[in-house]
PDB file of all heavy atoms in Angstrom:
ATOM      1  N   LYS L  55      11.806 -25.224 -30.463  1.00 93.00           N
ATOM      2  CA  LYS L  55      11.161 -24.595 -29.300  1.00 93.00           C
ATOM      3  C   LYS L  55      11.816 -23.276 -29.058  1.00 93.00           C
ATOM      4  O   LYS L  55      13.005 -23.170 -28.786  1.00 93.00           O
ATOM      5  CB  LYS L  55      11.296 -25.485 -28.067  1.00 93.00           C
ATOM      6  CG  LYS L  55      10.665 -24.906 -26.807  1.00 93.00           C
ATOM      7  CD  LYS L  55       9.196 -24.733 -26.991  1.00 93.00           C
ATOM      8  CE  LYS L  55       8.562 -23.996 -25.839  1.00 93.00           C
ATOM      9  NZ  LYS L  55       7.109 -23.913 -25.930  1.00 93.00           N
ATOM     10  N   ARG L  92      11.431 -33.170 -23.167  1.00 93.00           N
ATOM     11  CA  ARG L  92      10.168 -32.690 -22.674  1.00 93.00           C
ATOM     12  C   ARG L  92       9.123 -32.550 -23.768  1.00 93.00           C
ATOM     13  O   ARG L  92       7.972 -32.801 -23.626  1.00 93.00           O
ATOM     14  CB  ARG L  92      10.335 -31.369 -21.975  1.00 93.00           C
ATOM     15  CG  ARG L  92      10.907 -31.595 -20.531  1.00 93.00           C
ATOM     16  CD  ARG L  92      11.143 -30.243 -19.867  1.00 93.00           C
ATOM     17  NE  ARG L  92      11.719 -30.418 -18.549  1.00 93.00           N
ATOM     18  CZ  ARG L  92      10.957 -30.588 -17.442  1.00 93.00           C
ATOM     19  NH1 ARG L  92       9.671 -30.529 -17.495  1.00 93.00           N
ATOM     20  NH2 ARG L  92      11.563 -30.773 -16.302  1.00 93.00           N
ATOM     21  N   GLY L 129      16.462 -36.004 -13.835  1.00 87.00           N
ATOM     22  CA  GLY L 129      16.599 -36.474 -12.466  1.00 87.00           C
ATOM     23  C   GLY L 129      15.229 -36.917 -11.876  1.00 87.00           C
ATOM     24  O   GLY L 129      14.207 -36.557 -12.406  1.00 87.00           O
ATOM     25  N   TYR L 133       8.041 -37.933  -3.735  1.00 94.00           N
ATOM     26  CA  TYR L 133       7.299 -37.423  -2.601  1.00 94.00           C
ATOM     27  C   TYR L 133       8.144 -37.808  -1.355  1.00 94.00           C
ATOM     28  O   TYR L 133       8.117 -38.990  -0.991  1.00 94.00           O
ATOM     29  CB  TYR L 133       5.897 -38.008  -2.529  1.00 94.00           C
ATOM     30  CG  TYR L 133       5.059 -37.678  -3.702  1.00 94.00           C
ATOM     31  CD1 TYR L 133       5.086 -38.511  -4.853  1.00 94.00           C
ATOM     32  CD2 TYR L 133       4.228 -36.552  -3.722  1.00 94.00           C
ATOM     33  CE1 TYR L 133       4.292 -38.200  -5.969  1.00 94.00           C
ATOM     34  CE2 TYR L 133       3.442 -36.243  -4.770  1.00 94.00           C
ATOM     35  CZ  TYR L 133       3.489 -37.063  -5.908  1.00 94.00           C
ATOM     36  OH  TYR L 133       2.707 -36.776  -7.036  1.00 94.00           O
ATOM     37  N   ASP L 140       5.580 -46.525  -1.686  1.00 95.00           N
ATOM     38  CA  ASP L 140       4.354 -45.696  -1.884  1.00 95.00           C
ATOM     39  C   ASP L 140       4.585 -44.722  -3.050  1.00 95.00           C
ATOM     40  O   ASP L 140       3.601 -44.394  -3.722  1.00 95.00           O
ATOM     41  CB  ASP L 140       4.063 -44.957  -0.582  1.00 95.00           C
ATOM     42  CG  ASP L 140       3.488 -45.886   0.512  1.00 95.00           C
ATOM     43  OD1 ASP L 140       3.042 -47.038   0.046  1.00 95.00           O
ATOM     44  OD2 ASP L 140       3.434 -45.514   1.680  1.00 95.00           O
ATOM     45  N   GLN L 197       5.999 -50.951 -15.872  1.00 92.00           N
ATOM     46  CA  GLN L 197       5.245 -51.755 -16.813  1.00 92.00           C
ATOM     47  C   GLN L 197       6.285 -52.163 -17.905  1.00 92.00           C
ATOM     48  O   GLN L 197       7.355 -51.583 -18.086  1.00 92.00           O
ATOM     49  CB  GLN L 197       4.276 -50.901 -17.489  1.00 92.00           C
ATOM     50  CG  GLN L 197       3.165 -50.408 -16.574  1.00 92.00           C
ATOM     51  CD  GLN L 197       1.825 -50.656 -17.148  1.00 92.00           C
ATOM     52  OE1 GLN L 197       1.461 -51.795 -17.495  1.00 92.00           O
ATOM     53  NE2 GLN L 197       0.985 -49.614 -17.235  1.00 92.00           N
TER      54      GLN L 197
ATOM     55  N   ARG B  13      -3.794 -55.032 -23.709  1.00 54.00           N
ATOM     56  CA  ARG B  13      -4.416 -55.614 -22.539  1.00 54.00           C
ATOM     57  C   ARG B  13      -5.813 -54.966 -22.378  1.00 54.00           C
ATOM     58  O   ARG B  13      -6.051 -53.849 -22.751  1.00 54.00           O
ATOM     59  CB  ARG B  13      -3.551 -55.289 -21.300  1.00 54.00           C
ATOM     60  CG  ARG B  13      -2.221 -55.878 -21.342  1.00 54.00           C
ATOM     61  CD  ARG B  13      -1.240 -55.039 -20.632  1.00 54.00           C
ATOM     62  NE  ARG B  13      -1.080 -53.789 -21.317  1.00 54.00           N
ATOM     63  CZ  ARG B  13      -0.184 -52.849 -20.978  1.00 54.00           C
ATOM     64  NH1 ARG B  13       0.487 -52.975 -19.864  1.00 54.00           N
ATOM     65  NH2 ARG B  13      -0.136 -51.710 -21.641  1.00 54.00           N
ATOM     66  N   ARG B  33      -2.884 -38.463   4.170  1.00 91.00           N
ATOM     67  CA  ARG B  33      -1.837 -39.079   4.927  1.00 91.00           C
ATOM     68  C   ARG B  33      -0.722 -38.074   5.260  1.00 91.00           C
ATOM     69  O   ARG B  33       0.183 -38.398   5.993  1.00 91.00           O
ATOM     70  CB  ARG B  33      -1.267 -40.329   4.228  1.00 91.00           C
ATOM     71  CG  ARG B  33      -1.946 -41.550   4.687  1.00 91.00           C
ATOM     72  CD  ARG B  33      -1.427 -42.771   3.975  1.00 91.00           C
ATOM     73  NE  ARG B  33       0.021 -42.835   3.944  1.00 91.00           N
ATOM     74  CZ  ARG B  33       0.676 -43.771   3.299  1.00 91.00           C
ATOM     75  NH1 ARG B  33       0.048 -44.628   2.556  1.00 91.00           N
ATOM     76  NH2 ARG B  33       2.018 -43.781   3.343  1.00 91.00           N
ATOM     77  N   GLU B 113       3.033 -29.979  -6.685  1.00 94.00           N
ATOM     78  CA  GLU B 113       3.542 -31.014  -7.544  1.00 94.00           C
ATOM     79  C   GLU B 113       4.549 -30.472  -8.498  1.00 94.00           C
ATOM     80  O   GLU B 113       5.599 -31.130  -8.800  1.00 94.00           O
ATOM     81  CB  GLU B 113       2.418 -31.714  -8.320  1.00 94.00           C
ATOM     82  CG  GLU B 113       1.340 -32.282  -7.452  1.00 94.00           C
ATOM     83  CD  GLU B 113       1.615 -33.791  -7.070  1.00 94.00           C
ATOM     84  OE1 GLU B 113       2.678 -34.291  -7.372  1.00 94.00           O
ATOM     85  OE2 GLU B 113       0.726 -34.392  -6.468  1.00 94.00           O
ATOM     86  N   TYR B 121       6.339 -36.316 -13.704  1.00 94.00           N
ATOM     87  CA  TYR B 121       6.263 -37.784 -13.724  1.00 94.00           C
ATOM     88  C   TYR B 121       4.705 -38.271 -13.692  1.00 94.00           C
ATOM     89  O   TYR B 121       4.410 -39.251 -14.305  1.00 94.00           O
ATOM     90  CB  TYR B 121       6.977 -38.383 -12.524  1.00 94.00           C
ATOM     91  CG  TYR B 121       8.496 -38.325 -12.804  1.00 94.00           C
ATOM     92  CD1 TYR B 121       9.285 -37.416 -12.170  1.00 94.00           C
ATOM     93  CD2 TYR B 121       9.046 -39.159 -13.733  1.00 94.00           C
ATOM     94  CE1 TYR B 121      10.643 -37.343 -12.443  1.00 94.00           C
ATOM     95  CE2 TYR B 121      10.412 -39.093 -14.014  1.00 94.00           C
ATOM     96  CZ  TYR B 121      11.178 -38.197 -13.375  1.00 94.00           C
ATOM     97  OH  TYR B 121      12.523 -38.131 -13.646  1.00 94.00           O
ATOM     98  N   ASP B 290       3.344 -25.146 -20.531  1.00 90.00           N
ATOM     99  CA  ASP B 290       4.540 -25.866 -20.639  1.00 90.00           C
ATOM    100  C   ASP B 290       5.037 -26.257 -19.281  1.00 90.00           C
ATOM    101  O   ASP B 290       5.152 -25.389 -18.410  1.00 90.00           O
ATOM    102  CB  ASP B 290       5.635 -24.966 -21.337  1.00 90.00           C
ATOM    103  CG  ASP B 290       5.559 -24.952 -22.874  1.00 90.00           C
ATOM    104  OD1 ASP B 290       4.696 -25.713 -23.424  1.00 90.00           O
ATOM    105  OD2 ASP B 290       6.174 -24.131 -23.477  1.00 90.00           O
ATOM    106  N   ILE B 291       5.282 -27.537 -19.105  1.00 89.00           N
ATOM    107  CA  ILE B 291       5.704 -28.026 -17.816  1.00 89.00           C
ATOM    108  C   ILE B 291       7.274 -28.064 -17.866  1.00 89.00           C
ATOM    109  O   ILE B 291       7.882 -28.991 -18.407  1.00 89.00           O
ATOM    110  CB  ILE B 291       5.211 -29.411 -17.509  1.00 89.00           C
ATOM    111  CG1 ILE B 291       3.717 -29.478 -17.668  1.00 89.00           C
ATOM    112  CG2 ILE B 291       5.605 -29.876 -16.102  1.00 89.00           C
ATOM    113  CD1 ILE B 291       2.904 -28.614 -16.771  1.00 89.00           C
TER     114      ILE B 291
END
Side-chain angles (χ1 to χ4, degrees):
Chain L
K55 181 63 188 182
R92 282 177 181 270
Y133 298 88
D140 286 343
Q197 297 229 54
Chain B
R13 297 148 294 184
R33 267 178 49 185
E113 301 269 7
Y121 286 106
D290 279 351
I291 309 296

